[in-house]
Amino acid sequence: MKRFGTATRVSGVAAVAALALGVVGCAPAESGEEIAYPDGQLTYIIPFAPGGSSDPSGREFSRLLAEELGTTVVVENMPGGDETIGLTAVFSSPADGHTLGLSSPAGVIVQPLINDALPFKTTDDYTPVSLMLQAPNALFVGKDSKYQTIEDLLADAKANPGKISIGTTGRYTSPTFQIVQLEAEAGVEFNIVPFSGGAGEAALAAVGGKIDAYSATVPGQLGLFTAGDIRALVHTGSPEYNSVLPGAVSYEEVGINNPFGADYMTVAPQGLPDAVRAKLVEAANKVASGEAWAAWTAERGFTATPAVGDDLLKWIEDMAKLSASAIELVNKRLQ
């Protein structure tokens, strides 16, 4: 992943990002020790409301993980605070490996960059267990849009700066990051239109011709896409993901760097005993790399992206850099 070429960081964001980049020591420990873990059922906290795409992902992964560990799991939904309510509950739980949680970069990376009051900042404050999956973001248009390709839309945007309206959700969300990154990479400026009602509201506006396009995470839009109500121009996945969105291309294929999908990982409190952490990480990696998880994710428009240990830490470091730059771009664009 390369950095945003046009971002200028302010000291507050840069300082927190630097802390995130300096964290070490969270790779899984090696241990041949036999331990009584798990000793009872797991609790898996999902920091989102039931439904949508995030909740079922956490439920299925935790079910497979518990099965791999030879136990059962109770799932608790704790929405609110852009994941911070649920994550705070996870990280303040006993460090025994029995309380785990779902998170995305929005929770464990972006929120610490913009909220100094959080009790967690870096991986010094929690245990990254395993990266699980990515849900690519895409740029969608209504079925009757005049734009047939991303090149069509960018050409119009260059000819008419600030005139092409792009709907998005939330200030510091991956769909918004997708759009400000596209602006920076392509040298264009859109009319970014935030929708408080989320991607569903933006989709209705695009279908109704009230906006030119909108940015959203793919799995939540597959119903409209399959029905023919919307079309996808470009997405943040690999070229292989084109098969999920016929007619669309990846950013990679048009020479644009845009890595902002909706990624999810399993996390735990900091301070797990080495043997517990090793067994937990091994089990999570086996699930995330397994055929059952790959099939489940592919069927729903996700991509399985297993990573643990140093690979996961490197991914978090990269996302901290990218997120800090995206935050700067958002702060310049959305006053």
Side-chain angles (χ1 to χ4, degrees):
M1 294 179 184
K2 68 179 182 180
R3 290 186 177 182
F4 294 86
T6 59
T8 303
R9 304 184 187 189
V10 295
S11 58
V13 169
V16 180
L19 286 174
L21 300 181
V23 175
V24 295
C26 292
E30 295 292 335
S31 174
E33 177 186 353
E34 289 295 326
I35 57 168
Y37 170 77
D39 183 18
Q41 70 181 16
L42 305 179
T43 296
Y44 196 89
I45 295 175
I46 297 177
F48 306 99
S53 59
S54 305
D55 176 62
S57 299
R59 287 178 181 273
E60 180 63 10
F61 188 84
S62 63
R63 183 189 71 79
L64 292 171
L65 178 60
E67 185 177 276
E68 179 64 29
L69 288 168
T71 187
T72 57
V73 63
V74 173
V75 174
E76 296 182 11
N77 293 90
M78 293 188 184
D82 293 319
E83 301 184 31
T84 59
I85 292 175
L87 291 177
T88 298
V90 174
F91 301 154
S92 61
S93 298
D96 57 12
H98 289 85
T99 301
L100 310 172
L102 180 72
S103 186
S104 74
V108 291
I109 296 175
V110 173
Q111 283 302 310
L113 291 173
I114 62 176
N115 185 352
D116 292 334
L118 290 179
F120 57 91
K121 292 292 182 185
T122 72
T123 49
D124 275 339
D125 304 310
Y126 68 95
T127 299
V129 176
S130 174
L131 191 62
M132 301 153 48
L133 59 79
Q134 181 188 72
N137 288 320
L139 189 61
F140 294 97
V141 296
K143 64 179 180 179
D144 297 324
S145 171
K146 64 181 180 181
Y147 303 119
Q148 298 300 312
T149 66
I150 183 60
E151 289 88 352
D152 292 342
L153 185 143
L154 292 177
D156 201 7
K158 288 179 179 179
N160 300 281
K163 301 296 185 182
I164 309 304
S165 54
I166 309 289
T168 188
T169 61
R171 186 178 182 90
Y172 301 116
T173 63
S174 64
T176 300
F177 289 174
Q178 178 194 185
I179 299 309
V180 296
Q181 171 70 347
L182 177 57
E183 288 184 323
E185 286 278 323
V188 299
E189 182 176 315
F190 299 116
N191 173 24
I192 299 175
V193 183
F195 282 86
S196 59
E201 185 180 358
L204 289 175
V207 170
K210 296 180 180 178
I211 57 175
D212 294 301
Y214 72 103
S215 171
T217 305
V218 173
Q221 306 306 304
L222 285 179
L224 288 173
F225 181 84
T226 302
D229 295 319
I230 58 174
R231 292 184 286 107
L233 302 182
V234 65
H235 61 79
T236 64
S238 68
E240 290 74 20
Y241 196 78
N242 293 354
S243 62
V244 179
L245 294 173
V249 297
S250 67
Y251 279 107
E252 177 185 336
E253 292 173 281
V254 293
I256 291 176
N257 176 53
N258 205 321
F260 290 108
D263 305 271
Y264 293 98
M265 63 177 162
T266 290
V267 294
Q270 182 55 270
L272 299 180
D274 287 347
V276 169
R277 183 180 61 178
K279 186 172 182 179
L280 173 60
V281 169
E282 180 182 12
N285 189 44
K286 187 172 181 179
V287 170
S289 303
E291 293 182 2
W293 181 242
W296 189 93
T297 54
E299 185 178 345
R300 291 158 179 81
F302 299 105
T303 301
T305 53
V308 297
D310 290 341
D311 290 340
L312 178 52
L313 287 176
K314 180 62 166 60
W315 179 82
I316 292 172
E317 291 174 359
D318 289 343
M319 289 308 301
K321 294 177 184 178
L322 290 164
S323 297
S325 296
I327 289 167
E328 298 294 347
L329 291 173
V330 169
N331 287 341
K332 289 177 181 178
R333 291 290 290 113
L334 302 179
Q335 300 299 323

